[in-house]
Amino acid sequence: MSDCVATATADIRLFSEQLMTELGRRLEAEGRVSGEKLRELQAQKALTGEQLDRTLIKESVLPEADVLRALGAVSHIPFTAIAEFSIAPDAVRKVPAKVATRYRIVPLELANGIITLATNRVPDLSTVNSLRMLLGCPMKWVLCNESDIAKSLKHFYGLGVETIDEAIQTRRDEEPDAPDTDLAVDDTSDPGIVKFVNQVIVEAIEMDSTDIHIEPFEDRLSLRYRVDGVLQDIPVPQGVHHLRRAIASCVKIMAQMDIAERRKPHDGRIKVRVGPEEFDLRVSVLPTRFGETVSMRILNRASMFIDLAHLGLMPGQRPILEELSALPHGIILITGPTGSGKTTTLYATLARLNTKEVKIITVEDPVEYQMSGINQIQVNPKIDLTFASVLRSILRHDPDIILIGEIRDVETADIAVRAALTGHLVFSTLHTNDAASAVTRLLDMGIEPYLVSSCLEGVVAQRLVRRVCAACRVEFAPEDAILAEIRDAYPDRAGDAVFYQGRGCPDCNFTGFRGRVALFEIMVLDEALRGMIVRQEPSNEIRKTAVEHGMMTLRHNGWARVLDGTTAVTEVLRVARRFEFTGQAAQRWEE
């Protein structure tokens, strides 16, 4: 990219009235802004002191990209995206964190003694001179969106570096060689620490994280978010481990927990509002050798859920699930590990069934989605309000459909089976690796084989795979063995297929993935499978028969998503195990 970066420091035109005048003329000539609007904005400068480019962006007269593109044309500094660069570690080391955050610059390349810097405004002469003295080398510049600048600063210098740096330095100065002793309550009142904790929470919510993990170690503090089902390491400022006890105490104060108790686990809750939405944070604290580790589960209390049309079902799978959910009675199970989207699938199904003609009651722990028209009950083991005890009472309320958050024990399973046999449609979840294993799990719980065969109508195994980031995806050649497997499953599609993986950019937090899509394995019980259950045949034989009768496996559903460019080969290998069989069934799956 260095050859497309146009100008060295000596060629940079000053950020001046002349430059803003040229910007205005160009925008007017292109028909982007009228002359009257430009005069109005220029008149505001006397009140705000802001330059034209800032005002255009701040008042949403033009998108930031359009303003920077025009500004780049008149200043001869190119406008580009940080995603087009492979940011060099030596360039990042060249620019200290204080310098990068103060001047809002991101180092991109260091070549032949010249450093390339990204900024969202044309640097003025004083900025250029200051940076030349601080960095001790010539500079090249590119213009980038402010959002790219902010994300890159967080990624390379640590979240909250601008808010907590002073607190870190103060702690180092006061106790440079002292062990990390207990802190008083007053230590948590440092505004930098409070801002840092708030920033950690807000950033996690904005990244659509489900969990926050703050973990102390001997010489560092680890911050990780679970995003799209995978833990991501979030960089924090160097030296923040000196404040690990103060950070833990701050979280505990927010969760109304006893900050003096550091010897045993305890739990709490935090309610936060980010924009128009409210979130509940379930906080758990555990004592470890180097301090307290903090885990926060993020729950969005808004009544938001996805419908069946947008779950990611293959064309041949959606009618099967709709047919199962339209049955008058029986049990339908959703299986998969924690965080595989089972609850979302259940509620997408319930949303389709939620009409005035049916009564729906759910028993959950916790109630993750709020849905109008449905009676939702949250279990509370402290008062003996368990799944089993609630289910015994539910049947006296004449429900048509029952949702059980999870079948955890034989008592819950037995009541669910009997509810299905007495004319109720029961939805629930199990933790199994695939659809066929759900049968074995019920039998292991002690449910009689003839009862499982009679009431179980279908099992949906589910996994979530990450989507390849559209902003930074590049072509990728899979291994020959994997390519052969994909061709065996989809011989008509794999011949000229293009495979992708993400390079990493600010849009995806440099992971190469953004968002998730579900993979499904739907096993509908027919007479052959029911007979195998009564005979208690092993799950691998049940699975093999189900595939012969048209069931699409998770892995082959994954290869379909790879072929359409949605996900990467590595994601399918991560969540779906190999299952040997001929690829003849693939044609039926897409019909």
Side-chain angles (χ1 to χ4, degrees), residues 74-95:
V74 299
S75 66
H76 306 294
I77 300 178
F79 168 69
T80 187
I82 289 181
E84 296 183 24
F85 289 84
S86 295
I87 298 179
D90 56 344
V92 176
R93 289 191 295 267
K94 182 72 174 176
V95 182

Side-chain angles (χ1 to χ4, degrees), residues 216-278:
F217 296 97
E218 183 175 10
D219 56 354
R220 65 186 177 91
L221 183 73
S222 171
L223 172 63
R224 294 190 290 175
Y225 295 159
R226 190 173 294 279
V227 183
D228 295 334
V230 177
L231 281 174
Q232 292 185 16
D233 189 53
I234 305 300
V236 293
Q238 290 186 356
V240 74
H241 66 281
H242 292 288
L243 304 173
R244 54 194 172 193
R245 290 183 183 269
I247 291 170
S249 295
C250 184
V251 173
K252 289 162 70 175
I253 289 173
M254 295 171 67
Q256 299 182 348
M257 299 160 68
D258 183 5
I259 66 169
E261 180 55 74
R262 292 183 175 138
R263 300 167 299 173
K264 62 182 182 181
H266 46 150
D267 302 323
R269 283 181 177 269
I270 301 174
K271 286 189 176 182
V272 298
R273 177 181 288 274
V274 178
E277 297 183 283
E278 286 189 354

Side-chain angles (χ1 to χ4, degrees), residues 262-415:
R262 292 183 175 138
R263 300 167 299 173
K264 62 182 182 181
H266 46 150
D267 302 323
R269 283 181 177 269
I270 301 174
K271 286 189 176 182
V272 298
R273 177 181 288 274
V274 178
E277 297 183 283
E278 286 189 354
F279 297 84
D280 280 355
L281 275 63
R282 296 193 309 187
V283 182
S284 179
V285 176
L286 287 173
T288 68
R289 181 183 176 188
F290 299 108
E292 291 175 300
T293 181
V294 178
S295 176
M296 291 181 270
R297 167 64 58 89
I298 302 173
L299 300 174
N300 187 347
R301 295 315 238 174
S303 55
M304 297 174 62
F305 49 88
I306 199 166
D307 58 25
L308 277 181
H310 297 91
L311 279 178
L313 293 158
M314 295 290 289
Q317 290 180 322
R318 182 180 170 188
I320 297 174
L321 186 55
E322 289 179 346
E323 185 176 339
L324 283 174
S325 62
L327 293 172
H329 53 76
I331 294 179
I332 299 169
L333 297 176
I334 313 292
T335 75
T338 300
S340 60
K342 300 187 297 296
T343 303
T344 300
T345 299
L346 283 174
Y347 267 90
T349 306
L350 288 187
R352 180 175 176 272
L353 303 175
N354 186 20
T355 64
K356 294 181 180 179
E357 288 75 28
V358 298
K359 180 171 183 176
I360 303 174
I361 302 179
T362 74
V363 192
E364 306 168 73
D365 183 23
V367 175
E368 294 188 29
Y369 295 98
Q370 297 176 2
M371 183 181 289
S372 176
I374 292 180
N375 299 281
Q376 297 173 277
I377 303 170
Q378 181 162 323
V379 301
N380 186 352
K382 293 181 179 178
I383 58 172
D384 197 32
L385 191 67
T386 62
F387 283 108
S389 63
V390 173
L391 284 172
R392 283 192 293 268
S393 299
I394 277 179
L395 297 179
R396 293 193 289 270
H397 283 255
D398 189 31
D400 298 289
I401 299 171
I402 300 171
L403 184 150
I404 305 170
E406 182 184 348
I407 294 179
R408 299 178 177 176
D409 51 52
V410 63
E411 188 177 7
T412 304
D414 182 65
I415 297 174

